[in-house]
Amino acid sequence: MDSDKFIQWKNDYTFESCELDRKAYGKFLSSYIRKQNSPLVLNLDGSWGIGKSYFLRQLYSNLRFEHGLPVIHIDAWLSDFSDDPLLVIISELIDQMAAINTLQDCALKEEALLKFAAKYSKKAWNLLAIAGGTYVSGVTGNSAVVELTKKFTFEDEDYQKVGKKLNEVYMLQKDAIDDIKISLEQFAQLYDGDAKVYILIDELDRCRPNYAIEFLEVIKHFFELKNYVFIIATDTEQLSKSIKAVYGNEFDGKEYLSRFFSRTAKIPKPDLKNFASLLIKKSTLADKIEKMFFLEGEQSQDGLAHILSVVGNLYELSLRRLEQLFSKYESIVLHCDGDVFDTRLLLQLMCESESEFYRESYNRKRLYKKLGYPETTQLQKDAKGHNPDYSIDLAFTSLDREQKVIFKDEPSIFKEAYKFAHIYGKVLNSSKVSADVGFVKSTMNENYESTKKADTNFLTYKRSLGKYGALMKFWTIDDYFRYIELAHDIS
């Protein structure tokens, strides 16, 4: 490689500066990996959007820059065009090992590395072609092969034409595998006699199912060696479904995957509030919050981060989904600068509009806009095992014990607002084309204070609304749905 593209990761991806509260786990996992004495293929399991790629890059920085170990990072999806995962891995191995300059006398070491590679290149080229079985009639379209041929000098031209002889040497495949293993072991020892080479694989679950399977087969057959450690980040659930797409729905994809992995480590669920805080700090909203409408005690960056994290936990959003939700929310706030609306209600409706599970509840709200109208379906109730009429109650009752702790201190208004039970059902006429703060305040006084029916939620809302000018626009129900639809394609 002309330059070391991973140097920037030393500053950008570290456990020390991790703002998702994964520092302790990351260092613990690094220690576990480094102290293994036997071959290891570790499945780093995490659902879509949980931050697998980010965590894997942090692990790369920890192993290479903190502990001075030889580390290779491969984005499997970028090599998905290839027909030969083995050549991809070895090509990246040679390129990235040559770029690691942490050794004493590194120039001499790199020269020796290339000489060693050249020494084995004749044999490796022949054996890789035999094992891969993809080079027919001497024609290759694999860029990895092209790069290898640029690096190595072949003494015997016959080795470059080995593809033409594949049918003749088919029975030599088993010997080929053994010889490549020997070559790889000696290749690893060139860096440091006692060191292991750590190969981190990302995005395998995004690849074509056949290619993902071939990738795992290559690791299983060629790299179960004492000097190689593989850490493969996958969404195991998604990858098992991809395998079923190849072998059929009755095939046990998870059981099949277990034969490739020595161990599995789960990526811990992130702290959504920390992540939400990062989103807000980097956004254009950080200096606008003081002018936006929030309930008491929430008019700050920390308050908005809290609301985002609560909604994210309630609707089980991944980091990526929460980021997408915030992008849509930000676009609405910027467009409606100066309007008064309930952020909690807006975010909840946005989540339901984007959720396959809750979308029917969102559609019912949008259609009827009536207080007390049941908006959960029987399918939703059956799926969650609860029977509430409102989606917000269904979401709350579906939380596990750990998640419910997060919500124990939430004000009751959090749920009431989502049912349209407090301002929208009791104060505003949903058919009104537009409204302003002055209208809402006068209606509150007429409908509540005169009859002494004010409740705690009503008083909380009234106090929060008190500092806004009478002519400021106050959203009706229709406004929520209109802006949600407009922001739908923002991500």
Side-chain angles (χ1 to χ4, degrees):
M1 295 192 308
D2 296 330
S3 61
D4 188 347
K5 64 183 179 182
F6 300 104
I7 287 295
Q8 188 61 38
W9 289 13
K10 183 177 182 179
N11 298 318
D12 293 346
Y13 303 100
T14 68
F15 290 131
E16 293 298 331
S17 61
C18 183
E19 296 181 281
L20 297 178
D21 200 25
R22 289 170 169 168
K23 174 182 174 180
Y25 182 75
K27 286 183 170 291
F28 174 82
L29 188 62
S30 171
S31 173
Y32 173 78
I33 291 168
R34 287 183 281 109
K35 294 177 181 178
Q36 295 299 303
N37 293 320
S38 56
L40 177 66
V41 181
L42 179 73
N43 176 24
L44 190 61
D45 183 23
S47 58
W48 181 88
I50 201 171
K52 293 189 296 296
S53 295
Y54 199 92
F55 186 87
L56 200 67
R57 293 180 181 191
Q58 290 175 316
L59 184 60
Y60 177 99
S61 292
N62 175 271
L63 293 172
R64 177 179 170 182
F65 300 118
E66 186 172 335
H67 296 285
L69 298 171
V71 192
I72 310 302
H73 180 281
I74 300 175
D75 187 326
W77 191 61
L78 293 180
S79 67
D80 187 61
F81 66 88
S82 173
D83 291 323
D84 196 326
L86 180 56
L87 282 173
V88 169
I89 296 173
I90 289 184
S91 178
E92 291 289 348
L93 181 66
I94 293 170
D95 269 0
Q96 293 186 40
M97 286 282 279
I100 294 176
N101 295 323
T102 58
L103 292 176
Q104 187 176 8
D105 300 325
C106 60
L108 295 175
K109 292 285 186 179
E110 288 177 6
E111 183 180 352
L113 175 66
L114 292 174
K115 286 182 178 179
F116 180 85
K119 177 182 177 182
Y120 280 85
S121 63
K122 291 194 304 180
K123 195 172 189 178
W125 173 270
N126 186 21
L127 298 176
L128 293 176
I130 294 169
T134 59
Y135 308 107
V136 182
S137 301
V139 178
T140 69
N142 190 316
S143 65
V145 179
V146 175
E147 292 299 318
L148 283 172
T149 57
K150 289 179 182 177
K151 280 183 179 289
F152 303 143
T153 300
F154 295 89
E155 298 173 3
D156 186 347
E157 290 183 358
D158 287 342
Y159 286 106
Q160 298 182 53
K161 301 175 182 177
V162 69
K164 297 179 180 179
K165 303 178 182 180
L166 285 176
N167 291 333
E168 302 173 20
V169 294
Y170 176 78
M171 297 305 296
L172 297 177
Q173 284 190 347
K174 186 177 183 300
D175 290 339
I177 293 173
D178 293 338
D179 285 338
I180 290 174
K181 284 184 175 182
I182 293 172
S183 298
L184 288 170
E185 285 180 331
Q186 295 180 358
F187 185 91
Q189 291 170 1
L190 180 66
Y191 183 91
D192 186 325
D194 297 322
K196 294 181 175 64
V197 177
Y198 298 84
I199 301 180
L200 314 186
I201 308 294
D202 197 11
E203 303 284 19
L204 189 64
D205 44 16
R206 293 182 65 188
C207 295
R208 290 177 287 112
N210 281 331
Y211 184 73
I213 292 170
E214 290 171 10
F215 214 106
L216 291 172
E217 291 282 1
V218 161
I219 294 170
K220 178 73 174 177
H221 291 304
F222 289 92
F223 287 92
E224 281 196 334
L225 307 168
K226 66 178 183 179
N227 290 327
Y228 288 87
V229 173
F230 277 80
I231 299 95
I232 307 175
T234 72
D235 179 343
T236 306
E237 186 69 31
Q238 183 58 44
L239 188 56
S240 66
K241 290 179 181 177
S242 296
I243 291 171
K244 283 188 175 184
V246 176
Y247 293 111
N249 288 330
E250 300 304 315
F251 190 80
D252 191 336
K254 289 185 178 180
E255 179 63 27
Y256 178 77
L257 285 175
S258 67
R259 63 189 284 257
F260 295 108
F261 300 123
S262 313
R263 298 286 185 272
T264 294
K266 286 275 189 181
I267 296 182
K269 187 176 180 180
D271 186 315
L272 290 189
K273 185 173 180 181
N274 286 346
F275 185 66
S277 295
L278 291 177
L279 293 176
I280 295 166
K281 288 177 183 177
K282 295 176 182 178
S283 76
T284 57
L285 301 186
D287 59 350
K288 294 180 179 293
I289 293 175
E290 291 185 1
K291 297 180 181 179
M292 296 164 59
F293 174 76
F294 290 97
L295 299 180
E296 295 171 328
E298 295 182 340
Q299 201 162 33
S300 65
Q301 289 187 36
D302 187 68
L304 178 56
H306 172 72
I307 294 172
L308 278 166
S309 65
V310 166
V311 172
N313 278 298
L314 188 63
Y315 288 93
E316 302 176 281
L317 301 185
S318 66
L319 295 185
R320 199 169 301 177
R321 290 297 189 202
L322 187 63
E323 185 175 16
Q324 291 171 347
L325 174 70
F326 183 74
S327 294
K328 291 178 171 63
Y329 170 78
E330 183 182 25
S331 71
I332 293 173
V333 172
L334 294 176
H335 179 72
C336 302
D337 192 15
D339 291 0
V340 177
F341 57 86
D342 188 335
T343 283
R344 288 178 179 268
L345 177 57
L346 175 61
L347 290 173
Q348 183 254 342
L349 290 173
M350 291 171 71
C351 284
E352 294 194 358
S353 72
E354 299 292 330
S355 167
E356 185 175 340
F357 182 80
Y358 286 106
R359 190 172 297 120
E360 182 56 34
S361 291
Y362 169 82
N363 289 336
R364 290 186 177 192
K365 290 187 183 78
R366 186 182 182 192
L367 177 63
Y368 296 106
K369 304 170 193 168
K370 290 181 179 179
L371 174 64
Y373 190 88
E375 29 98 343
T376 53
T377 67
Q378 193 58 49
L379 286 176
Q380 289 173 324
K381 296 175 183 179
D382 291 344
K384 295 292 187 180
H386 302 284
N387 293 294
D389 289 331
Y390 301 101
S391 57
I392 189 69
D393 288 327
L394 189 62
F396 266 100
T397 53
S398 303
L399 295 172
D400 59 33
R401 182 178 300 177
E402 182 179 342
Q403 289 175 313
K404 285 180 179 177
V405 173
I406 300 173
F407 296 94
K408 69 181 180 67
D409 295 325
E410 285 300 302
S412 60
I413 197 172
F414 178 69
K415 293 172 65 175
E416 292 300 318
Y418 292 152
K419 296 179 189 177
F420 301 137
H422 106 110
I423 286 296
Y424 300 101
K426 297 177 179 177
V427 176
L428 278 181
N429 180 347
S430 63
S431 64
K432 184 175 176 63
V433 175
S434 63
D436 55 38
V437 171
F439 170 80
V440 174
K441 287 180 178 178
S442 64
T443 307
M444 281 181 166
N445 292 333
E446 291 174 10
N447 290 1
Y448 281 85
E449 297 199 359
S450 61
T451 57
K452 307 299 183 184
K453 292 182 179 178
D455 58 19
T456 302
N457 292 338
F458 165 77
L459 294 173
T460 299
Y461 211 99
K462 182 182 176 182
R463 285 194 300 269
S464 299
L465 195 62
K467 64 180 180 179
Y468 295 94
L471 297 181
M472 295 180 69
K473 179 179 177 180
F474 188 95
W475 279 14
T476 64
I477 298 174
D478 291 323
D479 289 319
Y480 285 86
F481 294 116
R482 180 159 62 92
Y483 288 120
I484 288 171
E485 297 303 314
L486 287 173
H488 173 72
D489 292 325
I490 301 294
S491 63

